[in-house]
Amino acid sequence: MSLSAINTILNTAPIVIQGASRLIKLIREQKDENKNEIEIPETIDGIKNEVDRLHQRLDANDESNVEQIKLIEELAKQNESLAAQLKNTITHLNIATYLAVIAIIISIFCLTYIFN
């Protein structure tokens, strides 16, 4: 791995960790909300209140799902960036290897030419 690839990974690692932490926090919050006891309403007003509360929970879940999707997309973009950087690093490494092989062949040729 080249220095630039390692540098990129080290620079984006905190962002990836932060995104994953936010995603875990959102998932835990959803689980905590689902643990609330459900009381069966006895009146029409109680049923209306329960329906309103359920709509609010559904809206909150929708917002949470959208936020989770955004975090996942952000992590995917970061992974794509890291993959592209790694591909560039491998390309540079291959070029350096080819140049080293050519340099070795030229040096062997020069040594055999000088000593003969």
Side-chain angles (χ1 to χ4, degrees):
M1 251 189 203
S2 75
L3 196 55
S4 63
I6 293 172
N7 194 21
T8 302
I9 291 170
L10 291 176
N11 287 336
T12 58
I15 297 168
V16 172
I17 292 170
Q18 182 182 19
S21 298
R22 283 192 285 173
L23 183 58
I24 291 170
K25 182 181 175 185
L26 286 171
I27 292 171
R28 284 184 181 160
E29 286 175 359
Q30 278 186 341
K31 286 181 182 178
D32 291 340
E33 288 176 1
N34 293 335
K35 289 182 181 179
N36 295 338
E37 288 186 28
I38 299 174
E39 296 180 16
I40 299 174
E42 296 179 8
T43 64
I44 300 280
D45 289 335
I47 293 174
K48 287 180 183 178
N49 290 336
E50 185 66 21
V51 169
D52 288 340
R53 190 178 70 78
L54 289 174
H55 280 294
Q56 289 174 352
R57 284 183 60 196
L58 288 173
D59 290 341
N61 282 342
D62 287 344
E63 290 174 10
S64 177
N65 289 342
V66 168
E67 190 169 334
Q68 289 175 10
I69 289 169
K70 287 180 182 177
L71 287 172
I72 290 170
E73 287 175 348
E74 181 180 324
L75 292 173
K77 287 177 185 176
Q78 290 173 356
N79 286 342
E80 184 179 350
S81 172
L82 288 173
Q85 183 66 35
L86 185 59
K87 183 178 179 182
N88 288 340
T89 301
I90 290 172
T91 302
H92 291 135
L93 182 61
N94 287 340
I95 291 171
T97 303
Y98 293 139
L99 290 175
V101 168
I102 291 171
I104 289 171
I105 291 171
I106 291 173
S107 63
I108 290 173
F109 178 74
C110 289
L111 288 173
T112 55
Y113 180 73
I114 292 173
F115 291 115
N116 284 333

